Amino acid sequence: MSKNVLNFIQENRTNHLNELIEFLRIPSISALSDHKGDVRKAAEWTVESLKEAGLTSVELMETPGHPVVYGEWSSAKNTHTILIYGHYDVQPVDPVELWDSPPFEPVIHDEKLYARGASDDKGQTFMHIKAVQALLKANGELPFNVKFLIEGEEEIGSPSLDSFVEENKERLAADVLLISDTPMLGKGRPAVCTGLRGMCSLQVDLKGAKGDLHSGLYGGAVQNSVHALVQLLGTLRDENGRIQVKGFYDNIIEPTEEEREVYRELGDYEAELKGELAVQELFGEEGYSAREQTWIRPTLEINGIYGGFQGEGVKTVIPSEAHAKITCRLVPGQDPVEITQLIEKHLDAHTPPGVTLTTTPFDKGMPFLAPTDHPAFKTATDAYEAAYGEPALFTRMGGSIPVVETFDQVLKMPILLMGFGLPSENFHAPNEHFHLENYDKGLETLINFWETLSFDQ
């Protein structure tokens, strides 16, 4: 990192962290309609932040849902462009009682910044804004043109972004797309993510009698919807975690043996994971390590079950209705629409007598696998090594960024996933936090990337 850029970053660290804290105070929960105004407030905050960074053009662009923030800086002498994607929306905070501090009242403790969105993805998106600002303030220009696309619906599956990208593909044209919304391998162990799992989700509703029934008057003669739901859900996986939906695994693109060997060389993740999660045993599909189970294998998970009496004590009823929410993480070769249809067909075929089944599909996202032969990937690993003293490894991630596959198919440019979060930072859970060590080294990495990238390699 050049000295003048380093000086700017160091001299403004406190002010920049205060700006990030201000950003994190905005409860921009895209999934909850009560926070629609807060989501827009976060978008407007992002607009002002990009303007302050020195971008020459910044717009708040409407969509059928939450707005997109677009900004750019360009110079006629630059022949290449970097597109940066991030999101300003956050997950809900429930269960709020498990937070050690209020989720939208950020606090710094042990060099960790605690707040919803600190790691996913406000903190990481903010770093890109500040990296560009540092380069512009210190040098007066950038070595490449830059475009920012920051959305407010990522945490609900980016429903408006596919059409936005298609309609604005000429505006979004660039030579490489840079995203920071993925984790590193661990503390001091940087990683460039080359694969993401896709996802699909659906709700399952069972309806029995016209209303809840007295268990003494009717028990034994009518179907209990909760029992029926438990029976139905039990048909989805076997005792070893193998998914029993016909056709579920048919089109998977298997990783090479060389790739699996690289994962084995990363070390014993099982012991680390058990310690981190405080569990005695892990559970997963036979024949695959825990790292492979979370990176290269698909899942089917029951995220919630509800029905019947939920209050204190006992109420002797036979529930009329029972409900469940299911999500799947998908790997290359699996199509979320097809997998949803296969699950619906399976559920229909296995519904117990005495209840009526209704299924409702929700979020969908395609899996993604990146080629790594573009010079930006080598520049990224070198930039990480300069900041962390360790070379970045190519890894996959078990999570999903729904719009990445859309970027790949519509914009047709290399997609570089340079994350700075840690798997232990509780994104999507209470006490989400971001290690400030990775804020500092992440800024250094991003600036190293900007200063050393060459498209002529």
Side-chain angles (χ1 to χ4, degrees):
M1 185 191 303
S2 60
K3 186 176 180 179
N4 52 346
V5 177
L6 177 61
N7 288 340
F8 178 85
I9 290 295
Q10 292 178 339
E11 291 169 2
N12 290 277
R13 183 180 188 267
T14 299
N15 289 337
H16 290 170
L17 284 178
N18 286 336
E19 289 177 32
L20 176 55
I21 287 170
E22 180 183 298
F23 192 22
L24 293 170
R25 285 197 178 107
I26 305 172
S28 50
I29 305 171
S30 54
L32 302 180
S33 58
D34 287 348
H35 287 277
K36 183 177 181 179
D38 295 314
V39 177
R40 176 167 287 274
K41 182 179 179 181
E44 293 168 347
W45 190 97
T46 304
V47 167
E48 295 306 313
S49 183
L50 288 173
K51 289 179 178 178
E52 181 184 345
L55 272 68
T56 52
S57 175
V58 185
E59 298 179 58
L60 188 70
M61 303 182 69
E62 301 296 342
T63 76
H66 300 299
V68 164
V69 177
Y70 175 81
E72 62 180 58
W73 180 95
S74 62
S75 170
K77 71 178 184 179
N78 288 340
T79 57
H80 294 93
T81 301
I82 296 175
L83 173 63
I84 297 171
Y85 164 83
H87 64 93
Y88 62 81
D89 66 318
V90 300
Q91 281 275 325
V93 298
D94 302 282
V96 70
E97 66 273 11
L98 296 183
W99 286 77
D100 294 333
S101 56
F104 295 110
E105 295 180 17
V107 296
I108 295 176
H109 181 65
D110 292 336
E111 281 300 290
K112 303 171 190 174
L113 175 57
Y114 286 83
R116 172 59 86 227
S119 182
D120 180 21
D121 181 44
K122 286 181 177 178
Q124 298 197 60
T125 299
F126 180 81
M127 288 163 56
H128 283 278
I129 299 174
K130 292 305 162 185
V132 167
Q133 181 177 358
L135 289 163
L136 283 172
K137 298 297 184 184
N139 300 331
E141 61 180 4
L142 298 174
F144 309 103
N145 297 329
V146 65
K147 299 176 180 179
F148 278 88
L149 172 61
I150 305 175
E151 69 154 320
E153 297 184 339
E154 195 276 343
E155 297 294 7
I156 54 173
S158 301
S160 301
L161 208 60
D162 283 358
S163 58
F164 180 91
V165 171
E166 185 68 47
E167 292 165 5
N168 291 276
K169 60 184 177 182
E170 293 184 6
R171 178 191 289 237
L172 298 172
D175 297 281
V176 64
L177 172 59
L178 183 56
I179 302 173
S180 294
D181 195 11
T182 53
M184 305 198 307
L185 272 171
K187 181 178 173 58
R189 301 179 69 193
V192 174
C193 181
T194 62
L196 299 167
R197 291 196 289 190
M199 71 171 297
C200 64
S201 59
L202 66 157
Q203 177 157 325
V204 179
D205 301 300
L206 293 185
K207 173 70 174 175
K210 63 181 182 180
D212 289 353
L213 302 175
H214 190 289
S215 65
L217 296 178
Y218 298 100
V222 296
Q223 178 65 277
N224 182 312
S225 292
V226 173
H227 278 292
L229 180 64
V230 171
Q231 180 181 335
L232 177 59
L233 298 178
T235 68
L236 291 170
R237 294 196 322 193
D238 68 15
E239 64 276 12
N240 298 312
R242 179 87 178 172
I243 296 162
Q244 299 299 292
V245 175
K246 186 177 180 180
F248 188 86
Y249 296 100
D250 284 0
N251 298 316
I252 290 175
I253 300 172
E254 299 287 352
T256 64
E257 183 55 36
E258 289 78 11
E259 185 177 358
R260 294 187 70 182
E261 180 59 31
V262 169
Y263 298 157
R264 285 191 283 269
E265 291 174 356
L266 293 177
D268 182 8
Y269 184 54
E270 280 77 2
E272 177 186 336
L273 194 59
K274 284 191 284 189
E276 175 189 332
L277 303 179
V279 296
Q280 296 298 314
E281 299 293 338
L282 299 178
F283 175 83
E285 186 183 358
E286 287 188 321
Y288 297 91
S289 68
R291 185 169 273 118
E292 290 176 323
Q293 288 161 358
T294 56
W295 285 0
I296 65 172
R297 295 304 290 169
T299 68
L300 188 155
E301 302 287 357
I302 300 165
N303 309 116
I305 299 176
Y306 56 102
F309 177 63
Q310 306 289 317
E312 184 178 355
V314 175
K315 184 179 183 182
T316 54
V317 296
I318 300 172
S320 168
E321 298 181 8
H323 314 272
K325 296 179 185 294
I326 295 173
T327 57
C328 296
R329 298 290 178 170
L330 309 177
V331 297
Q334 292 183 301
D335 179 90
V337 174
E338 179 183 358
I339 294 298
T340 299
Q341 292 171 346
L342 291 174
I343 295 171
E344 289 175 325
K345 184 177 180 180
H346 175 98
L347 292 170
D348 186 63
H350 292 81
T351 299
V355 290
T356 301
L357 167 72
T358 302
T359 57
T360 306
F362 288 107
D363 298 350
K364 296 180 179 66
M366 290 290 291
F368 169 74
L369 193 60
T372 59
D373 54 356
H374 189 275
F377 285 83
K378 176 64 165 59
T379 303
T381 60
D382 290 345
Y384 272 116
E385 186 168 8
Y388 284 88
E390 292 285 338
L393 300 174
F394 290 149
T395 66
R396 296 200 200 182
M397 188 182 86
S400 307
I401 307 176
V403 79
V404 167
E405 179 65 16
T406 300
F407 287 139
D408 186 46
Q409 295 299 314
V410 177
L411 301 182
K412 300 186 185 305
M413 68 180 70
I415 300 175
L416 183 58
L417 300 166
M418 296 178 65
F420 300 97
L422 294 182
S424 60
E425 287 179 336
N426 290 2
F427 27 83
H428 292 208
N431 297 318
E432 179 181 350
H433 57 279
F434 190 32
H435 285 68
L436 294 184
E437 174 190 23
N438 291 326
Y439 170 83
D440 294 325
K441 291 185 177 180
L443 267 176
E444 182 180 346
T445 301
L446 293 174
I447 292 169
N448 288 339
F449 177 83
W450 273 92
E451 292 183 332
T452 59
L453 177 63
S454 170
F455 289 91
D456 300 324
Q457 297 175 20

